[in-house]
Amino acid sequence: MAAVRDNQVVVVVAETGSGKTTQLPQMLLRAGMLSTAGRRLVVTQPRRVAAVSVAARVASEQGVALGTRIGYSVRFDERASPETLVKFVTDGMLLREMVRQPDLADYAVVMVDEAHERTVSTDILLGLLKDLCRFRGLNSESSDNAGDAGNGNSSMIRVIISSATMNAAKFSQFFNDAPVISVPGRLHPVERLYLRQPAHDMLGAVVQAVVDVHLEAGDDPGDILVFLTGQEDIELVARVLTERARSAGWQLLPAPIYAALPGADQALIFRPTPLGCRKVVLATNIAETSITVDGIRVVIDSGLVKQRAFDPRTGIDSLVVTACSRASGEQRAGRAGRTG
């Protein structure tokens, strides 16, 4: 909190599970740095499901109804009101707000979460925020004394950039050598095992890995999280696992999650696993960040991700399956050590 008061930009590198997404906004609330008089906090997330689920989590921890003091705004869905002090949005939505209101006068603090994902929207946002810091920093210095600035006056803007895995030095350098704060998490040690040879049939290898883990674990509790590339792969693996579990009499419960899935179906992955059953969460990289599914003990990672690629010859954007980055790999492995 002292760093946020004394500096306009702070880079926070915090391990998975340290609570940066859920606890930092609440700390700012408790410190009295936010008020409805133009001193609000906006937190960006790369994905809409993350923004919605984190907002619900923070609202429940605060003991308030979602849409009152804590709210969210994603494309085609908004739960916010004039009294909202902390708003979770997708980075695209904040860019849209900056088109309407370039100086972001409604906000005193902007927190760019999961900055390591480096979406186009995040990169553009960071560039605009750097300019905005110069504009609102100079304005506040000329119009307010230093004491007011330290208390979070409405004219000075503060930026917090946070991530679990990123090159903090580069982000700090971009924002004129902003201070970097490292927060230790409570990540449990994770053992990593790799295939000796690349899998020719990735989906078959994933199904076999799930079966092997399930049989090896026996009666030990603990759910499995599987990272796949997209909806088609997830539905196919879910179908195969359901059939194999039914024929062998296993208590396996496949639970898919991907961006196009309706909200009610997405919520199924957060429900407690029935006794004597093992939940297999089949996810795209949507479950890489910000979503914590309790009870995950094993992560099976295909190492692949679908990324949007632009073909200059055709002028068309398309989704291409490619290997995920090392930062994403670290993040995925970290999911296994969140709760045990």
Side-chain angles (χ1 to χ4, degrees):
M1 290 313 304
V4 172
R5 281 202 179 92
D6 298 341
N7 300 280
Q8 196 170 14
V9 182
V10 177
V11 179
V12 180
V13 182
E15 278 183 28
T16 300
S18 59
K20 59 190 175 301
T21 307
T22 55
Q23 302 311 311
L24 280 177
Q26 296 183 66
M27 288 177 187
L28 290 163
L29 264 176
R30 283 197 296 272
M33 292 186 71
L34 308 174
S35 74
T36 47
R39 295 215 304 260
R40 298 189 179 96
L41 165 66
V42 62
V43 184
T44 72
Q45 295 290 331
R47 298 182 189 85
R48 52 182 292 155
V49 66
V52 173
S53 64
V54 172
R57 170 87 176 257
V58 174
S60 71
E61 286 184 11
Q62 284 282 308
V64 298
L66 188 59
T68 54
R69 197 162 47 164
I70 313 293
Y72 69 82
S73 177
V74 297
R75 195 171 49 165
F76 307 131
D77 188 13
E78 182 171 13
R79 293 277 291 277
S81 64
E83 62 178 297
T84 300
L85 297 181
V86 179
K87 187 157 79 166
F88 291 87
V89 301
T90 54
D91 39 19
M93 288 300 289
L94 187 58
L95 272 180
R96 190 168 293 179
E97 281 199 41
M98 289 192 83
V99 171
R100 181 178 55 83
Q101 190 182 50
D103 62 348
L104 288 181
D106 288 347
Y107 303 111
V109 186
V110 176
M111 179 172 165
V112 181
D113 199 16
E114 313 302 355
H116 71 275
E117 297 235 346
R118 298 296 303 273
T119 62
V120 173
S121 297
T122 302
D123 278 5
I124 293 173
L125 198 56
L126 291 173
L128 292 172
L129 286 173
K130 184 177 181 179
D131 273 354
L132 188 56
C133 285
R134 208 175 294 134
F135 171 69
R136 281 184 58 178
L138 289 171
N139 277 10
S140 67
E141 282 170 22
S142 60
S143 61
D144 302 297
N145 61 45
D148 289 338
N151 292 323
N153 63 68
S154 57
S155 55
M156 186 165 186
I157 194 164
R158 281 170 172 72
V159 177
I160 301 171
I161 298 159
S162 77
S163 171
T165 48
M166 69 176 183
N167 189 332
K170 282 188 177 176
F171 280 84
S172 169
Q173 198 179 346
F174 181 73
F175 282 98
N176 307 320
D177 297 324
V180 178
I181 296 176
S182 295
V183 183
R186 42 171 211 277
L187 194 64
H188 300 271
V190 178
E191 183 190 2
R192 302 183 191 206
L193 306 171
Y194 300 89
L195 287 182
R196 293 186 190 279
Q197 299 293 329
H200 298 296
D201 175 15
M202 180 58 75
L203 298 186
V206 164
V207 170
Q208 191 56 48
V210 171
V211 171
D212 291 346
V213 167
H214 176 61
L215 295 178
E216 197 176 310
D219 295 332
D220 291 344
D223 298 330
I224 302 170
L225 171 60
V226 181
F227 283 103
L228 295 165
T229 57
Q231 180 178 348
E232 287 178 27
D233 290 354
I234 287 172
E235 288 177 347
L236 179 60
V237 170
R239 207 158 47 240
V240 172
L241 282 175
T242 303
E243 287 168 7
R244 287 191 67 168
R246 191 185 297 124
S247 62
W250 300 328
Q251 294 297 307
L252 273 181
L253 181 66
I257 179 160
Y258 46 87
L261 200 66
D265 294 338
Q266 286 180 356
L268 292 175
I269 70 163
F270 300 109
R271 289 190 185 167
T273 310
L275 207 63
C277 193
R278 196 183 310 281
K279 185 163 62 184
V280 183
V281 179
L282 304 167
T284 58
N285 58 346
I286 203 170
E288 222 175 82
T289 51
S290 296
I291 297 176
T292 299
V293 183
D294 290 333
I296 296 294
R297 290 288 185 280
V298 178
V299 169
I300 296 169
D301 182 10
S302 65
L304 300 172
V305 66
K306 266 189 183 172
Q307 283 189 338
R308 185 173 291 162
F310 177 72
D311 186 342
R313 283 178 300 178
T314 60
I316 294 174
D317 273 328
S318 59
L319 287 170
V320 178
V321 175
T322 181
C324 71
S325 67
R326 181 174 292 186
S328 291
E330 295 283 339
Q331 194 77 5
R332 291 177 178 195
R335 302 283 107 183
R338 285 297 287 260
T339 54

